Amino acid sequence: MIWLKHFEGKSIFITGSTGLIGSAVADILFRYSELHNGNIKIYLAGRSKERVINRFSKYISQKYCIYREYDATHKNELPDSLDYMIHAASNAYPYLIQKNPIETMQDNF
């Protein structure tokens, strides 16, 4: 995972941080930063503070892990200085994908 070195000392804003993709990306970044003293500041964005805190309880009290309220259907304030934004927020869930696959994918793209 040498490519993760690129993110050392950077700030990353992850939308949909409790979802499948967003949480996996956050886990990888947190673990890399722990093992390599990467000093990666990660903004975990989501609609539910409780879900973010529950999912990332191991990291949420650390100075490099910050919760930000975020709802893709509303105007949101972003931190002043970001190096990267990973947009993983989605309205998709298995039942909706089965019922309306094209519309669900169009919304996310």
Side-chain angles (χ1 to χ4, degrees):
M1 289 203 203
I2 190 104
W3 59 272
L4 286 168
K5 187 171 181 63
H6 178 76
F7 295 106
E8 289 181 6
K10 305 294 185 189
S11 61
I12 303 170
F13 190 88
I14 303 173
T15 66
S17 64
T18 59
L20 178 68
I21 295 170
S23 65
V25 169
D27 284 336
I28 290 167
L29 291 169
F30 281 131
R31 188 68 176 142
Y32 177 86
S33 198
E34 280 181 331
L35 293 174
H36 301 281
N37 198 21
N39 195 31
I40 302 170
K41 183 182 277 188
I42 301 170
Y43 292 90
L44 298 171
R47 290 179 296 212
S48 170
K49 184 175 185 175
E50 182 179 332
R51 284 183 62 196
V52 171
I53 289 171
N54 287 338
R55 174 62 177 81
F56 296 102
S57 60
K58 179 179 178 180
Y59 304 107
I60 205 73
S61 63
Q62 306 295 325
K63 65 180 179 178
Y64 56 84
C65 175
I66 301 150
Y67 167 75
R68 291 297 291 256
E69 186 174 349
Y70 183 89
D71 185 337
T73 64
H74 296 89
K75 183 176 179 177
N76 297 278
E77 295 293 325
L78 299 177
D80 290 336
S81 177
L82 289 174
D83 295 299
Y84 296 96
M85 182 173 182
I86 298 171
H87 180 53
S90 171
N91 67 343
Y93 53 94
Y95 175 76
L96 188 61
I97 292 171
Q98 289 175 350
K99 184 178 176 195
N100 299 313
I102 294 171
E103 295 83 352
T104 302
M105 287 186 276
Q106 286 175 330
D107 287 347
N108 290 306
F109 296 146

PDB file of all heavy atoms in Angstrom, residues 80-95:
ATOM      1  N   ASP A  80     -12.281  24.889   5.853  1.00  0.00           N
ATOM      2  CA  ASP A  80     -11.578  25.867   5.017  1.00  0.00           C
ATOM      3  C   ASP A  80     -10.457  25.261   4.185  1.00  0.00           C
ATOM      4  O   ASP A  80     -10.215  25.674   3.068  1.00  0.00           O
ATOM      5  CB  ASP A  80     -11.005  27.002   5.884  1.00  0.00           C
ATOM      6  CG  ASP A  80     -12.103  27.892   6.447  1.00  0.00           C
ATOM      7  OD1 ASP A  80     -13.189  27.941   5.842  1.00  0.00           O
ATOM      8  OD2 ASP A  80     -11.865  28.530   7.478  1.00  0.00           O
ATOM      9  N   SER A  81      -9.758  24.300   4.730  1.00  0.00           N
ATOM     10  CA  SER A  81      -8.613  23.751   4.038  1.00  0.00           C
ATOM     11  C   SER A  81      -8.721  22.233   3.933  1.00  0.00           C
ATOM     12  O   SER A  81      -8.636  21.532   4.934  1.00  0.00           O
ATOM     13  CB  SER A  81      -7.327  24.131   4.787  1.00  0.00           C
ATOM     14  OG  SER A  81      -6.212  23.550   4.163  1.00  0.00           O
ATOM     15  N   LEU A  82      -8.919  21.762   2.733  1.00  0.00           N
ATOM     16  CA  LEU A  82      -8.983  20.322   2.475  1.00  0.00           C
ATOM     17  C   LEU A  82      -8.024  19.991   1.338  1.00  0.00           C
ATOM     18  O   LEU A  82      -7.890  20.760   0.389  1.00  0.00           O
ATOM     19  CB  LEU A  82     -10.380  19.895   2.039  1.00  0.00           C
ATOM     20  CG  LEU A  82     -11.478  19.895   3.073  1.00  0.00           C
ATOM     21  CD1 LEU A  82     -12.812  19.574   2.415  1.00  0.00           C
ATOM     22  CD2 LEU A  82     -11.188  18.899   4.175  1.00  0.00           C
ATOM     23  N   ASP A  83      -7.405  18.847   1.454  1.00  0.00           N
ATOM     24  CA  ASP A  83      -6.572  18.380   0.351  1.00  0.00           C
ATOM     25  C   ASP A  83      -7.359  17.474  -0.588  1.00  0.00           C
ATOM     26  O   ASP A  83      -7.156  17.497  -1.802  1.00  0.00           O
ATOM     27  CB  ASP A  83      -5.347  17.637   0.896  1.00  0.00           C
ATOM     28  CG  ASP A  83      -4.441  18.563   1.689  1.00  0.00           C
ATOM     29  OD1 ASP A  83      -3.949  19.542   1.093  1.00  0.00           O
ATOM     30  OD2 ASP A  83      -4.251  18.324   2.890  1.00  0.00           O
ATOM     31  N   TYR A  84      -8.263  16.668  -0.010  1.00  0.00           N
ATOM     32  CA  TYR A  84      -9.043  15.731  -0.813  1.00  0.00           C
ATOM     33  C   TYR A  84     -10.460  15.619  -0.260  1.00  0.00           C
ATOM     34  O   TYR A  84     -10.674  15.748   0.933  1.00  0.00           O
ATOM     35  CB  TYR A  84      -8.421  14.322  -0.794  1.00  0.00           C
ATOM     36  CG  TYR A  84      -7.061  14.278  -1.413  1.00  0.00           C
ATOM     37  CD1 TYR A  84      -5.924  14.369  -0.623  1.00  0.00           C
ATOM     38  CD2 TYR A  84      -6.901  14.164  -2.793  1.00  0.00           C
ATOM     39  CE1 TYR A  84      -4.663  14.353  -1.181  1.00  0.00           C
ATOM     40  CE2 TYR A  84      -5.650  14.147  -3.360  1.00  0.00           C
ATOM     41  CZ  TYR A  84      -4.531  14.239  -2.558  1.00  0.00           C
ATOM     42  OH  TYR A  84      -3.287  14.226  -3.107  1.00  0.00           O
ATOM     43  N   MET A  85     -11.382  15.329  -1.181  1.00  0.00           N
ATOM     44  CA  MET A  85     -12.753  15.017  -0.787  1.00  0.00           C
ATOM     45  C   MET A  85     -13.137  13.720  -1.479  1.00  0.00           C
ATOM     46  O   MET A  85     -13.001  13.597  -2.698  1.00  0.00           O
ATOM     47  CB  MET A  85     -13.720  16.117  -1.193  1.00  0.00           C
ATOM     48  CG  MET A  85     -15.137  15.856  -0.769  1.00  0.00           C
ATOM     49  SD  MET A  85     -16.177  17.290  -1.091  1.00  0.00           S
ATOM     50  CE  MET A  85     -17.715  16.703  -0.446  1.00  0.00           C
ATOM     51  N   ILE A  86     -13.555  12.752  -0.692  1.00  0.00           N
ATOM     52  CA  ILE A  86     -13.996  11.468  -1.229  1.00  0.00           C
ATOM     53  C   ILE A  86     -15.506  11.419  -1.034  1.00  0.00           C
ATOM     54  O   ILE A  86     -15.991  11.359   0.086  1.00  0.00           O
ATOM     55  CB  ILE A  86     -13.296  10.299  -0.514  1.00  0.00           C
ATOM     56  CG1 ILE A  86     -11.784  10.396  -0.748  1.00  0.00           C
ATOM     57  CG2 ILE A  86     -13.860   8.966  -0.999  1.00  0.00           C
ATOM     58  CD1 ILE A  86     -10.965   9.435   0.059  1.00  0.00           C
ATOM     59  N   HIS A  87     -16.220  11.473  -2.142  1.00  0.00           N
ATOM     60  CA  HIS A  87     -17.679  11.500  -2.075  1.00  0.00           C
ATOM     61  C   HIS A  87     -18.214  10.077  -2.158  1.00  0.00           C
ATOM     62  O   HIS A  87     -18.244   9.460  -3.218  1.00  0.00           O
ATOM     63  CB  HIS A  87     -18.247  12.359  -3.194  1.00  0.00           C
ATOM     64  CG  HIS A  87     -19.734  12.432  -3.170  1.00  0.00           C
ATOM     65  ND1 HIS A  87     -20.450  12.799  -2.056  1.00  0.00           N
ATOM     66  CD2 HIS A  87     -20.657  12.162  -4.127  1.00  0.00           C
ATOM     67  CE1 HIS A  87     -21.738  12.760  -2.328  1.00  0.00           C
ATOM     68  NE2 HIS A  87     -21.888  12.366  -3.571  1.00  0.00           N
ATOM     69  N   ALA A  88     -18.599   9.540  -0.992  1.00  0.00           N
ATOM     70  CA  ALA A  88     -19.120   8.177  -0.934  1.00  0.00           C
ATOM     71  C   ALA A  88     -20.559   8.154  -0.418  1.00  0.00           C
ATOM     72  O   ALA A  88     -21.095   7.092  -0.137  1.00  0.00           O
ATOM     73  CB  ALA A  88     -18.226   7.315  -0.042  1.00  0.00           C
ATOM     74  N   ALA A  89     -21.177   9.327  -0.293  1.00  0.00           N
ATOM     75  CA  ALA A  89     -22.564   9.393   0.171  1.00  0.00           C
ATOM     76  C   ALA A  89     -23.482   8.863  -0.922  1.00  0.00           C
ATOM     77  O   ALA A  89     -23.260   9.081  -2.106  1.00  0.00           O
ATOM     78  CB  ALA A  89     -22.936  10.830   0.522  1.00  0.00           C
ATOM     79  N   SER A  90     -24.513   8.175  -0.495  1.00  0.00           N
ATOM     80  CA  SER A  90     -25.430   7.573  -1.448  1.00  0.00           C
ATOM     81  C   SER A  90     -26.783   7.349  -0.785  1.00  0.00           C
ATOM     82  O   SER A  90     -26.864   7.148   0.415  1.00  0.00           O
ATOM     83  CB  SER A  90     -24.865   6.226  -1.909  1.00  0.00           C
ATOM     84  OG  SER A  90     -25.808   5.523  -2.658  1.00  0.00           O
ATOM     85  N   ASN A  91     -27.802   7.373  -1.605  1.00  0.00           N
ATOM     86  CA  ASN A  91     -29.126   7.031  -1.097  1.00  0.00           C
ATOM     87  C   ASN A  91     -29.455   5.574  -1.379  1.00  0.00           C
ATOM     88  O   ASN A  91     -30.560   5.129  -1.170  1.00  0.00           O
ATOM     89  CB  ASN A  91     -30.186   7.936  -1.730  1.00  0.00           C
ATOM     90  CG  ASN A  91     -30.324   7.674  -3.221  1.00  0.00           C
ATOM     91  OD1 ASN A  91     -29.462   7.081  -3.841  1.00  0.00           O
ATOM     92  ND2 ASN A  91     -31.406   8.134  -3.807  1.00  0.00           N
ATOM     93  N   ALA A  92     -28.475   4.827  -1.850  1.00  0.00           N
ATOM     94  CA  ALA A  92     -28.718   3.441  -2.257  1.00  0.00           C
ATOM     95  C   ALA A  92     -28.728   2.485  -1.069  1.00  0.00           C
ATOM     96  O   ALA A  92     -27.980   2.651  -0.122  1.00  0.00           O
ATOM     97  CB  ALA A  92     -27.642   3.012  -3.247  1.00  0.00           C
ATOM     98  N   TYR A  93     -29.587   1.515  -1.169  1.00  0.00           N
ATOM     99  CA  TYR A  93     -29.623   0.395  -0.244  1.00  0.00           C
ATOM    100  C   TYR A  93     -30.241  -0.762  -1.029  1.00  0.00           C
ATOM    101  O   TYR A  93     -30.881  -0.547  -2.064  1.00  0.00           O
ATOM    102  CB  TYR A  93     -30.389   0.726   1.041  1.00  0.00           C
ATOM    103  CG  TYR A  93     -31.778   1.263   0.857  1.00  0.00           C
ATOM    104  CD1 TYR A  93     -32.882   0.416   0.887  1.00  0.00           C
ATOM    105  CD2 TYR A  93     -31.993   2.620   0.646  1.00  0.00           C
ATOM    106  CE1 TYR A  93     -34.168   0.912   0.710  1.00  0.00           C
ATOM    107  CE2 TYR A  93     -33.275   3.120   0.462  1.00  0.00           C
ATOM    108  CZ  TYR A  93     -34.353   2.261   0.498  1.00  0.00           C
ATOM    109  OH  TYR A  93     -35.615   2.755   0.315  1.00  0.00           O
ATOM    110  N   PRO A  94     -30.018  -2.003  -0.606  1.00  0.00           N
ATOM    111  CA  PRO A  94     -30.387  -3.151  -1.438  1.00  0.00           C
ATOM    112  C   PRO A  94     -31.814  -3.135  -1.992  1.00  0.00           C
ATOM    113  O   PRO A  94     -32.007  -3.373  -3.179  1.00  0.00           O
ATOM    114  CB  PRO A  94     -30.159  -4.347  -0.505  1.00  0.00           C
ATOM    115  CG  PRO A  94     -29.045  -3.884   0.369  1.00  0.00           C
ATOM    116  CD  PRO A  94     -29.307  -2.413   0.605  1.00  0.00           C
ATOM    117  N   TYR A  95     -32.808  -2.832  -1.165  1.00  0.00           N
ATOM    118  CA  TYR A  95     -34.186  -2.861  -1.652  1.00  0.00           C
ATOM    119  C   TYR A  95     -34.400  -1.824  -2.762  1.00  0.00           C
ATOM    120  O   TYR A  95     -35.025  -2.114  -3.786  1.00  0.00           O
ATOM    121  CB  TYR A  95     -35.171  -2.626  -0.510  1.00  0.00           C
ATOM    122  CG  TYR A  95     -36.603  -2.522  -0.999  1.00  0.00           C
ATOM    123  CD1 TYR A  95     -37.313  -3.663  -1.379  1.00  0.00           C
ATOM    124  CD2 TYR A  95     -37.220  -1.290  -1.107  1.00  0.00           C
ATOM    125  CE1 TYR A  95     -38.611  -3.573  -1.855  1.00  0.00           C
ATOM    126  CE2 TYR A  95     -38.523  -1.186  -1.582  1.00  0.00           C
ATOM    127  CZ  TYR A  95     -39.209  -2.329  -1.960  1.00  0.00           C
ATOM    128  OH  TYR A  95     -40.493  -2.231  -2.433  1.00  0.00           O
TER     129      TYR A  95
END
